[in-house]
Amino acid sequence: MSQSEKVLTQAASRREEVLMHARRVIMRDGLEATSLRRIAREGGFTTGVLTHYFADKSELISACFEWTMRTWLDRVEGEVRDAPTAEESVCRFVSVAVPHASERHGEWRLWLNFVGTGAGDRQMADLLVETDLRWEALVTETLTRWHEAGLVSPRLPDEQEALILARLGDGLGLRALMTGDWDDARRTLVAALGAIGLPEDVARRALEPPAAEAG
Amino acid sequence: MSQSEKVLTQAASRREEVLMHARRVIMRDGLEATSLRRIAREGGFTTGVLTHYFADKSELISACFEWTMRTWLDRVEGEVRDAPTAEESVCRFVSVAVPHASERHGEWRLWLNFVGTGAGDRQMADLLVETDLRWEALVTETLTRWHEAGLVSPRLPDEQEALILARLGDGLGLRALMTGDWDDARRTLVAALGAIGLPEDVARRALEPPAAEAG
């Protein structure tokens, strides 16, 4: 109960509270096994509360994916943009693209769950592409900052290079989800930045766990 | 019946015949819904035939993944290695990494099915990593051929660049499975080859559908 109250305080609205519980159930049980009833039980409310906000499971799942990606992007956009130097923004970019903290890997697992389902679902595919446009824009903007600071010298236009980095990130996350080896994925991402000219000392720094991880 | 006879003639062994039917069922119904009973019905044999070769569903699925990847690699290794020129091997590499023919997309769908399951399964993860080593070796060898022919000039060692290309290919396939837009995925792959120096005229040729597709 006190846990539920805490969640309520954190959540901006009742709707978000539902999405928060839905996300926890999906991460734990997988999309297939998730049901409105199970989410209601998890959150300690009636299924009536759920159906007030979402017509059915499919609508709730789409909303949960959209909300998860949006809150993730709100957070990482701030983190990467606010880096005081271009070098620091490399470190932050690497640590959001291939996270260190194990809780962040849960977000990747959720993503794979959605992607696995989306392969046969037009609406989910559109939603994925749309939310990913924002990520690709952030990668482009960040790459341009490095480029202007003389940190990298890609042979392609920043936008095209960013698209390649975004899809490489997907492939790396997918592999790390299988093997559990996120350090290996991070090394490959940093190698790819080396391929567009990132100096070795910055690359080395980007591979260290962020000091502020605990904070 | 005559279809079943045809399959029997094509299959090197009864075990492969079982795997062939299993693959068809998985591609059509998904891993979750696949059962030994359903595969037996599809192939027109008893479940006893299946359990003669495979202890349970999980063993059959692992074997099916291993066999699918091995036969795919047997085919693409030959295709890419036998290219008469380095330029032609670029075209062949691109068309096996991001296939044109829609039947080949089924193999990707199957791969996503396996990867989605493998995320929580040590044995499946090991199998995926192991089979992928052969693909990464082929990419390295092919890249070295282009490199030696002066077609590309990557800043990283070929092996590291090949690893990046392999993971990029995973991310591109994943996205194309969602959107159905394989041409877009192919353009991004070819752009990534441009980023390591591939000349524009070879890039243009690699984007054309292969003439021998029908043959």
Side-chain angles (χ1 to χ4, degrees):
Chain A
M1 270 298 177
S2 76
Q3 174 64 16
S4 179
E5 274 163 27
K6 210 176 109 199
V7 165
L8 193 59
T9 320
Q10 289 169 340
S13 72
R14 187 94 173 163
R15 185 175 180 273
E16 283 201 3
E17 193 197 348
V18 170
L19 292 174
M20 219 180 259
H21 287 294
R23 182 162 68 179
R24 193 173 309 133
V25 173
I26 295 168
M27 275 164 97
R28 191 188 57 211
D29 304 343
L31 269 182
E32 197 91 20
T34 295
S35 64
L36 293 187
R37 189 187 297 255
R38 215 177 263 205
I39 296 166
R41 205 187 310 140
E42 174 84 16
F45 30 62
T46 63
T47 52
V49 173
L50 271 73
T51 51
H52 174 70
Y53 294 106
F54 309 101
D56 52 25
K57 178 182 163 181
S58 143
E59 197 179 302
L60 196 156
I61 283 173
S62 290
C64 185
F65 178 71
E66 192 275 329
W67 175 72
T68 300
M69 292 304 286
R70 182 161 41 81
T71 50
W72 181 77
L73 278 160
D74 286 346
R75 185 173 60 77
V76 304
E77 256 180 17
E79 228 173 285
V80 174
R81 282 184 184 150
D82 293 350
T85 62
E87 285 83 354
E88 177 59 25
S89 102
V90 173
C91 297
R92 295 193 185 181
F93 171 77
V94 168
S95 76
V96 300
V98 184
H100 287 270
S102 67
E103 60 181 300
R104 295 292 160 223
H105 302 158
E107 282 169 351
W108 264 104
R109 248 195 313 280
L110 197 73
W111 173 83
L112 180 60
N113 246 312
F114 285 119
V115 167
T117 316
D121 184 327
R122 190 75 250 164
Q123 205 194 338
M124 274 294 290
D126 288 346
L127 192 57
L128 180 98
V129 171
E130 204 182 299
T131 56
D132 217 65
L133 282 177
R134 206 178 137 195
W135 169 242
E136 288 160 19
L138 178 64
V139 180
T140 304
E141 168 195 320
T142 309
L143 198 60
T144 301
R145 181 178 181 184
W146 305 344
H147 201 167
E148 284 172 359
L151 272 188
V152 296
S153 51
R155 299 182 187 172
L156 300 177
D158 292 341
E159 211 168 286
Q160 209 167 13
E161 191 60 54
L163 195 63
I164 293 170
L165 284 175
R167 289 295 82 72
L168 172 64
D170 290 351
L172 289 171
L174 195 66
R175 167 57 60 105
L177 277 172
M178 299 285 302
T179 61
D181 194 344
W182 294 83
D183 291 339
D184 187 56
R186 201 173 302 110
R187 277 191 296 272
T188 306
L189 178 63
V190 171
L193 299 182
I196 55 168
L198 189 76
E200 262 188 50
D201 60 317
V202 185
R204 236 188 332 268
R205 258 188 66 198
L207 285 175
E208 290 164 11
E213 184 92 321
Chain B
M1 272 296 176
S2 74
Q3 174 64 17
S4 179
E5 276 164 25
K6 211 176 109 198
V7 165
L8 192 60
T9 321
Q10 289 169 341
S13 72
R14 187 92 172 166
R15 185 176 180 274
E16 285 202 0
E17 193 197 348
V18 170
L19 292 174
M20 216 178 263
H21 287 294
R23 181 162 69 179
R24 194 173 309 133
V25 172
I26 295 168
M27 275 164 94
R28 191 189 55 211
D29 304 344
L31 269 181
E32 196 90 20
T34 295
S35 64
L36 293 186
R37 190 188 296 255
R38 215 179 263 205
I39 297 166
R41 204 187 311 139
E42 175 83 17
F45 31 60
T46 63
T47 52
V49 172
L50 270 74
T51 52
H52 174 71
Y53 295 105
F54 309 101
D56 51 25
K57 178 182 164 180
S58 143
E59 197 179 300
L60 196 156
I61 282 173
S62 290
C64 186
F65 179 70
E66 193 276 330
W67 175 73
T68 300
M69 292 304 286
R70 182 161 41 81
T71 49
W72 181 76
L73 278 159
D74 287 345
R75 184 172 61 77
V76 304
E77 257 180 17
E79 227 171 286
V80 174
R81 281 183 183 150
D82 293 350
T85 63
E87 285 83 354
E88 177 59 25
S89 102
V90 173
C91 297
R92 293 193 186 181
F93 170 78
V94 169
S95 77
V96 300
V98 184
H100 283 91
S102 66
E103 60 181 300
R104 295 292 161 223
H105 302 157
E107 282 168 354
W108 264 104
R109 249 195 314 277
L110 197 72
W111 171 84
L112 180 60
N113 247 312
F114 284 119
V115 167
T117 316
D121 184 328
R122 189 75 251 162
Q123 204 193 339
M124 275 295 289
D126 289 346
L127 191 58
L128 180 97
V129 171
E130 204 182 299
T131 55
D132 217 66
L133 282 176
R134 208 178 135 195
W135 169 240
E136 288 160 18
L138 179 64
V139 180
T140 304
E141 168 195 321
T142 308
L143 198 59
T144 301
R145 181 177 180 183
W146 304 344
H147 201 167
E148 285 172 0
L151 271 188
V152 296
S153 52
R155 298 181 188 174
L156 300 177
D158 291 341
E159 211 167 285
Q160 210 167 13
E161 191 60 54
L163 195 63
I164 293 169
L165 284 176
R167 289 297 81 74
L168 172 64
D170 291 350
L172 288 171
L174 195 66
R175 167 57 60 103
L177 277 171
M178 298 286 300
T179 61
D181 193 344
W182 294 84
D183 291 339
D184 186 55
R186 201 173 302 110
R187 276 191 297 271
T188 307
L189 178 63
V190 171
L193 300 182
I196 56 170
L198 190 76
E200 262 188 50
D201 60 317
V202 185
R204 235 187 334 266
R205 257 188 66 199
L207 285 175
E208 290 165 10
E213 185 90 320

